[in-house]
Amino acid sequence: MSTAKEHKPVVIVGAGVSGLALGNFLLREGIDCVVLERRDRDHVERRQRAGVIDTRATRAFRKRGLEDRVVGGTPVQAGLGFRIDGQDRWLELPAEEYREGRFCPQQVLVRNLITVFEQDGGDLRFGTEVTVEDIDRPRVRLGDGSIIEGDFIAGCDGSHGATRAAIPENRLTRHSHEYGYAWLVVLAEVPAVHPTLLAIHRRGFAAQFGRGPTASRFYLQCPLDDTAEDWPDERVWSELETRFGEPIATRGPIVEKQPLPLRGEVLSPMSHGGLHLLGDAAHIVPPSSAKGMNLALYDADVFAEALVGYYRHDDPSLLAAYSDNRLRDVWNYQAFATWFTDTVHDAGDATYRGEFRHQVARADFERLFTSGPANRLLGEFIAGLN
Ligand SMILES: Cc1cc2nc3c(=O)[nH]c(=O)nc-3n(C[C@H](O)[C@H](O)[C@H](O)COP(=O)(O)OP(=O)(O)OC[C@H]3O[C@@H](n4cnc5c(N)ncnc54)[C@H](O)[C@@H]3O)c2cc1C
């Protein structure tokens, strides 16, 4: 029996934000592609993670005429709300260009990207587990045994996907960093009292972010060896109240609760023969930086431009430079993620890294409120414009 075989110029593995954004960007340019996703549609559309599309990512949709159809939600605030040892402090980020981002839950963005891709005639296949057969002469095998050959494979399948695993170890360097603490990541069916609240407290960092009208994400800094069983719901609510310094008005059902060790990772290079990595497949930043989804969208933006150069202008130079260009940018955001994450954690609980780091973090933190350049730099990073 012969194996079914087809050819698609660009084979996109994974229908998360990076794969779906790339698929939509290519469709707008008339570049044929297929998006292959191992999970079913319902699972992908319900997966709750990030909540903010920053200015730079919003502009990537706008320049392709997709902003109104894809980017939902409400405009971001002009600053960040902190509660430091129980005292509220509002960090104003005044520049107008920092405010083009949107509060948009990741699952809403994903749902919109799927709808638009299908409306515009895109080829999207759910329930299709991919294995990569060849990265130099790009070729993938689907769960039913059929083969798709392409000019390129876009590895958009996250940090546990098949594409990064297909790269021989001797062609790849992994750089990783463990922060030394974890977050208990909680999703609760309660409306957010504050759209964003970051609490700096001696018992550890805590945060609340709205995720639509009836859901909130809560984060609690915890030791690396804590398990979900160490955190019964009552302990979660009472610890949030202690660190926020106020009662939680509504204690709704907790629908997700898992410890997440904070870590950073970069795979270098991001291009291998015909395989190019995007998003979490290539790099991880801790959720404290709110950049993982946005970096995935920047990758899709830059890789789509590179493919337009290749197919439409017979110019492979952007494709050849994709990995170097993205890595420069990714390390810039790793630097921001490391500084911001350490500062908001060290400024609170001194037991992880000591009183010296605690005092340094407090001084660093204060500078954000008193120094125009420091405030501007933070705003640029948050907006994605640095
Ligand atoms: C709790 C949490 C909170 C976060 N908060 C934020 C935040 O506030 N801001 C922010 O910017 N980022 C945040 N992030 C990070 C953000 O969610 C990720 O960076 C983003 O999802 C990366 O997108 P991606 O497209 O690279 O990968 P993913 O969204 O993970 O998509 C990968 C897709 O590939 C599919 N796949 C995997 N293997 C295969 C295979 N073999 N064949 C076919 N398909 C496959 C998967 O099923 C999945 O659908 C958070 C993450 C977590 C976990």
Side-chain angles (χ1 to χ4, degrees):
M1 198 177 75
S2 68
T3 307
K5 197 187 279 186
E6 57 184 310
H7 181 91
K8 285 277 182 180
V10 185
V11 180
I12 301 173
V13 184
V17 282
S18 58
L20 290 165
L22 177 65
N24 275 289
F25 295 165
L26 295 182
L27 219 52
R28 302 295 282 184
E29 299 289 345
I31 297 170
D32 194 15
C33 62
V34 59
V35 181
L36 305 167
E37 167 59 46
R38 74 170 164 192
R39 309 300 296 251
D40 63 30
R41 180 179 187 142
D42 191 52
H43 177 91
V44 170
E45 289 189 339
R46 282 172 189 272
R47 206 166 34 198
Q48 303 223 14
R49 290 178 179 170
V52 175
I53 305 172
D54 70 15
T55 296
R56 175 171 166 188
T58 302
R59 289 179 183 175
F61 290 110
R62 186 181 306 152
K63 77 180 178 196
R64 297 176 170 94
L66 286 168
E67 184 182 3
D68 292 344
R69 297 173 72 198
V70 165
V71 182
T74 53
V76 292
Q77 300 165 291
L80 288 176
F82 287 96
R83 186 160 295 164
I84 306 169
D85 303 330
Q87 299 285 315
D88 281 339
R89 292 189 73 180
W90 176 252
L91 184 64
E92 182 84 11
L93 299 170
E96 278 299 320
E97 72 257 36
Y98 302 160
R99 300 185 198 159
E100 292 173 28
R102 313 281 293 183
F103 282 120
C104 175
Q106 186 167 335
Q107 73 275 15
V108 173
L109 174 64
V110 163
R111 207 179 309 136
N112 292 348
L113 285 167
I114 290 171
T115 303
V116 170
F117 191 66
E118 291 192 332
Q119 279 172 353
D120 292 356
D123 183 354
L124 169 56
R125 306 180 200 175
F126 289 103
T128 308
E129 175 102 30
V130 172
T131 49
V132 178
E133 298 232 314
D134 198 325
I135 60 175
D136 294 316
R137 284 172 302 147
R139 181 181 152 100
V140 302
R141 185 178 291 275
L142 314 193
D144 64 3
S146 63
I147 297 282
I148 304 183
E149 292 174 336
D151 302 333
F152 303 103
I153 300 171
C156 302
D157 49 348
S159 57
H160 303 292
T163 58
R164 61 151 63 182
I167 303 165
E169 282 294 329
N170 62 2
R171 287 171 62 173
L172 189 69
T173 306
R174 286 168 205 266
H175 307 274
S176 56
H177 172 62
E178 307 294 331
Y179 282 79
Y181 38 79
W183 274 7
L184 185 74
V185 175
V186 174
L187 185 67
E189 289 177 353
V190 295
V193 178
H194 313 272
T196 306
L197 182 62
L198 308 173
I200 311 286
H201 193 277
R202 278 274 178 191
R203 290 177 66 92
F205 179 79
Q208 180 189 10
F209 297 94
R211 289 289 189 265
T214 57
S216 295
R217 268 234 180 267
F218 295 97
Y219 298 118
L220 280 164
Q221 181 183 2
C222 64
L224 280 175
D225 52 1
D226 271 15
T227 63
E229 289 68 44
D230 293 323
W231 288 89
D233 291 3
E234 177 53 38
R235 182 177 175 209
V236 171
W237 293 120
S238 99
E239 192 63 26
L240 285 169
E241 290 186 344
T242 304
R243 296 189 196 181
F244 286 144
E246 69 179 14
I248 303 282
T250 318
R251 293 186 173 195
I254 290 180
V255 292
E256 183 192 318
K257 191 167 48 179
Q258 52 160 333
L260 179 79
L262 265 53
R263 68 188 189 95
E265 185 181 49
V266 178
L267 266 57
S268 179
M270 287 170 62
S271 300
H272 300 264
L275 168 64
H276 302 265
L277 301 177
L278 289 80
D280 280 10
H283 40 71
I284 306 282
V285 286
S288 43
S289 64
K291 280 292 162 214
M293 179 176 84
N294 289 295
L295 281 172
L297 292 171
Y298 310 162
D299 288 350
D301 180 23
V302 173
F303 190 55
E305 296 280 3
L307 289 177
V308 169
Y310 180 86
Y311 284 112
R312 302 267 300 271
H313 308 297
D314 203 16
D315 175 5
S317 61
L318 286 177
L319 203 53
Y322 169 75
S323 177
D324 286 349
N325 286 343
R326 290 308 303 137
L327 284 172
R328 205 173 305 119
D329 199 37
V330 165
W331 280 117
N332 192 36
Y333 282 93
Q334 290 287 2
F336 162 68
T338 308
W339 173 80
F340 188 74
T341 302
D342 280 342
T343 301
V344 296
H345 289 81
D346 289 343
D349 186 347
T351 61
Y352 287 87
R353 302 212 303 163
E355 193 60 28
F356 187 90
R357 296 302 298 241
H358 175 71
Q359 295 299 340
V360 169
R362 287 267 162 158
D364 249 358
F365 200 69
E366 195 56 32
R367 194 171 305 109
L368 297 174
F369 293 89
T370 54
S371 151
N375 181 285
R376 183 165 185 92
L377 190 63
L378 178 70
E380 286 173 1
F381 271 118
I382 289 174
L385 300 176
N386 184 277

